[in-house]
């Protein structure tokens, strides 16, 4: 008999597979990586709303993780966004369908210069970017040019489907970093998506402080395992304590229970359905 490495059952709208990871028998901690698969004919919105992100560029498989999204009905230009917008007042933006964006040599050069300037996992991220750009996860491209010269500045793949969106890997000319072009690209794209009637924009993972820039927008929510939370203190708690869990699962980690207790079954169900 073949020993199964994953078990599957059908949950509400998403089929789930639990792929076993290395066990910690000494501390009785046994972990599974949760994969999600859509039922035939179902839209990707269902997976995103339940905390999943795509792990395959053809959107055939998703994974459950701590991620960030922006509720666009609550997104607006706060003081920080307007400050960066003034610094980037000469930058023009367009959001177009992927087939309308011509990846010329000049645009390709922007991407390569961006990754050449990266110090961490540059080649991996470069490969992922170009794979993403030519996949089903890139239905649109948000691109930015210098209005004074027409020079390409930056661009990012965007998925728009079923009333939701995902902001992909952004690239930009490193010479524009001084005007905070990365922050401007994200904020301007979020504003354009809100104008288009999109409900949420998913910004990816948040497992280190370098990802906190994603949280600085009005309407921020993060997936905490039982639902979408707007409590920034909880997210900062998780970032601070995630490497201290040791022999614990989060829900039996004393500092978490003390701060966010009420872990009886009825309270957990309430959290998951709220």
């Amino acid at each position: 008999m073949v020993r199964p490495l994953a078990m599957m059952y059908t949950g509400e709208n998403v089929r789930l597979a639990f792929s076993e990871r290395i066990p910690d028998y000494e501390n009785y901690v046994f972990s599974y990586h949760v994969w999600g698969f859509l039922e035939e004919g179902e839209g990707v919105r269902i997976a995103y709303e339940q905390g999943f992100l795509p792990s395959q560029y053809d959107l055939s498989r998703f994974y459950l993780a701590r991620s960030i999204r922006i509720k666009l009905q609550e997104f607006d230009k706060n003081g920080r966004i307007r400050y960066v917008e003034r610094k980037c007042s000469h930058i023009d933006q367009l959001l177009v369908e992927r087939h309308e964006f011509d990846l010329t040599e000049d645009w390709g050069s922007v991407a390569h210069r961006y990754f050449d300037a990266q110090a961490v996992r540059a080649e991996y991220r470069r490969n992922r970017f170009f794979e993403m750009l030519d996949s089903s996860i890139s239905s649109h491209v948000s691109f930015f040019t210098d209005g004074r010269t027409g020079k390409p500045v930056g661009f990012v793949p965007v998925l728009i489907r079923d009333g939701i969106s995902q902001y992909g890997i952004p690239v930009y000319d490193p010479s524009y970093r001084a005007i905070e072009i990365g922050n401007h690209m994200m904020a301007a794209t979020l504003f354009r998506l809100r104008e288009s009637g999109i409900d949420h924009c998913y910004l990816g993972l948040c497992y280190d402080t370098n990802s906190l820039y994603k949280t600085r927008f009005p309407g921020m929510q993060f997936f905490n395992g039982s639902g979408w939370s707007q409590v920034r203190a909880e997210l900062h708690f998780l970032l601070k304590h995630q490497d201290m869990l040791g022999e614990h699962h989060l829900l039996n980690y004393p500092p978490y229970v003390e701060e966010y207790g009420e872990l009886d079954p009825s309270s957990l169900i309430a959290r998951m359905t709220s």
Side-chain angles (χ1 to χ4, degrees):
M1 187 174 82
V2 178
R3 181 176 180 271
L5 297 180
M7 298 178 64
M8 180 177 287
Y9 76 91
T10 302
E12 183 180 357
N13 300 318
V14 178
R15 290 178 295 157
L16 303 179
F18 297 85
S19 184
E20 186 173 333
R21 302 191 64 208
I22 298 173
D24 180 3
Y25 194 83
E26 181 180 352
N27 294 306
Y28 229 63
V29 176
F30 309 107
S31 300
Y32 290 85
H33 190 54
V34 183
W35 288 352
F37 302 85
L38 292 173
E39 300 284 0
E40 185 176 353
E42 289 180 332
V44 297
R45 181 189 187 107
I46 293 170
Y48 280 94
E49 287 183 339
Q50 295 187 27
F52 289 87
L53 293 173
S55 58
Q56 298 291 320
Y57 291 134
D58 64 359
L59 303 173
S60 63
R61 189 178 78 204
F62 296 79
Y63 66 99
L64 193 66
R66 184 197 306 155
S67 59
I68 303 293
R69 75 178 184 181
I70 304 299
K71 186 176 181 180
L72 292 172
Q73 290 178 336
E74 298 179 5
F75 173 75
D76 204 355
K77 295 181 180 180
N78 58 20
R80 177 64 183 169
I81 293 173
R82 290 194 296 271
Y83 169 72
V84 175
E85 189 176 57
R86 288 193 295 271
K87 294 174 69 174
C88 296
S89 60
H90 58 291
I91 303 298
D92 296 331
Q93 184 230 0
L94 283 174
L95 177 66
V96 300
E97 293 187 13
R98 172 64 183 93
H99 67 85
E100 297 176 2
F101 177 74
D102 186 10
L103 184 62
T104 63
E105 184 177 345
D106 286 343
W107 283 109
S109 179
V110 168
H112 286 297
R113 289 200 303 276
Y114 174 82
F115 290 113
D116 288 343
Q118 300 298 300
V120 180
R121 305 181 76 191
E123 287 308 307
Y124 171 76
R125 288 177 58 81
R126 189 196 311 265
N127 293 335
R128 278 196 64 210
F129 172 78
F130 284 106
E131 289 172 358
M132 175 182 288
L133 190 62
D134 288 326
S135 73
S136 299
I137 206 171
S138 298
S139 64
H140 291 69
V141 173
S142 180
F143 68 95
F144 299 77
T145 55
D146 191 320
R148 302 169 302 189
T149 65
K151 178 182 177 181
V153 174
F155 62 110
V156 57
V158 178
L159 172 69
I160 301 176
R161 190 179 295 187
D162 302 333
I164 59 92
S165 59
Q166 181 178 351
Y167 189 88
I169 299 173
V171 297
Y172 52 81
D173 186 330
S175 67
Y176 286 83
R177 186 169 284 135
I179 62 171
E180 302 184 65
I181 187 62
N183 287 333
H184 176 67
M185 287 173 59
M186 183 171 284
T189 302
L190 289 172
F191 186 73
R192 186 77 65 185
L193 291 168
R194 191 192 74 170
E195 285 187 325
S196 301
I198 303 301
D199 294 331
H200 295 91
C201 183
Y202 293 79
L203 302 183
L205 303 174
C206 189
Y207 282 97
D208 59 61
T209 55
N210 291 330
S211 297
L212 285 175
Y213 70 92
K214 303 173 185 177
T215 72
R216 295 169 184 157
F217 301 103
M220 188 282 299
Q221 300 175 327
F222 78 96
F223 188 75
N224 63 7
S226 59
W228 291 97
S229 172
Q230 293 181 304
V231 182
R232 293 174 185 272
E234 182 183 5
L235 176 59
H236 285 268
F237 179 97
L238 294 173
L239 290 171
K240 180 180 179 181
H241 289 263
Q242 64 189 10
D243 294 329
M244 306 176 191
L245 290 177
E247 68 273 18
H248 298 282
H249 289 288
L250 181 66
L251 296 183
N252 70 0
Y253 179 55
Y256 184 82
V257 175
E258 291 172 9
E259 189 72 25
Y260 301 99
E262 300 181 7
L263 299 183
D264 59 277
S266 60
S267 296
L268 283 173
I269 292 171
R271 287 181 62 175
M272 290 186 286
T273 57
S274 63

